Amino acid sequence: LDQRADSIVWFPDDFSPPSRDACRWLERWLMARPNRSLVYVGRCFDAAPWYWEHVPLAGADATARQRIAVRGKAAQGELAARLAALPNSQDCQWFKLQGPYQRRRVRTLEGDAEWLRGVDPAKLQMQLYCRMTPTPSAATLLASQGDAIVFARPVRSSRLIVVANGSFLLNAPLANHEHRKLAGKLLEALVKMPGLIP
């Protein structure tokens, strides 16, 4: 990986921020060659509750509807338990993660004009469960009501991009057309030279 990869996209399975050792290794990897990209996608989200909430109910009988409701409630309970186990504040080299860990639906967007162009915030189905505060050296590319969703900073001649969570990048949420537009904006940011971010 150290020699072969030019880009790393990391969706961790740990709800806590990356360790100091992980950050140091990845920053060394970014600095080892020019024009490398690291995308870190935070874990304060789980697609299972989202999936069960958006299962089409047209044509489903009462038994199927009840099963869907039970599965959705169980998935939401599992996510709530994992979030409740987190400390209220956690520091990382790249950001600070803060609770309380409560779901907030994203209905407004602000940030870089290129990220906002052509996206209808009213049609988003994104969710935020925590607040990620970027370091002062980072540029916020996308936010909602002051909460950073995507931010980036150069690391020498490479770039680090942090995404708050996968609520617009994972498979099921990508069924939403506006989410696909935002995923496209992320891909566009990856092909830009580091000095051009934002």
Side-chain angles (χ1 to χ4, degrees), residues 65-192:
R65 286 173 183 263
Q66 184 178 10
R67 283 189 193 138
I68 290 167
V70 167
R71 296 286 295 272
K73 189 174 276 190
Q76 191 63 50
E78 288 173 23
L79 174 59
R82 291 194 73 175
L83 293 173
L86 294 174
N88 202 43
S89 179
Q90 299 178 80
D91 286 322
C92 167
Q93 287 177 222
W94 303 333
F95 55 83
K96 183 173 188 171
L97 190 66
Q98 296 172 280
Y101 302 95
Q102 298 171 341
R103 181 170 74 168
R104 177 171 83 71
R105 296 177 193 271
V106 173
R107 292 289 182 255
T108 62
L109 292 177
E110 61 258 4
D112 184 82
E114 189 55 44
W115 277 77
L116 301 176
R117 187 174 292 119
V119 178
D120 184 353
K123 295 179 180 177
L124 293 172
Q125 295 172 316
M126 291 167 57
Q127 301 171 8
L128 294 175
Y129 283 84
C130 60
R131 168 171 284 203
M132 255 188 197
T133 304
T135 60
S137 60
T140 299
L141 305 176
L142 192 67
S144 175
Q145 297 177 10
D147 291 334
I149 297 173
V150 181
F151 51 94
R153 70 173 173 87
V155 179
R156 275 200 196 151
S157 55
S158 294
R159 62 197 155 264
L160 165 67
I161 301 175
V162 176
V163 182
N165 66 44
S167 67
F168 72 93
L169 293 173
L170 296 171
N171 287 345
L174 277 173
N176 180 297
H177 189 64
E178 304 306 304
H179 294 186
R180 291 199 300 275
K181 291 179 187 177
L182 290 174
K185 307 281 187 187
L186 180 58
L187 291 174
E188 289 170 13
L190 285 174
V191 300
K192 289 182 177 180

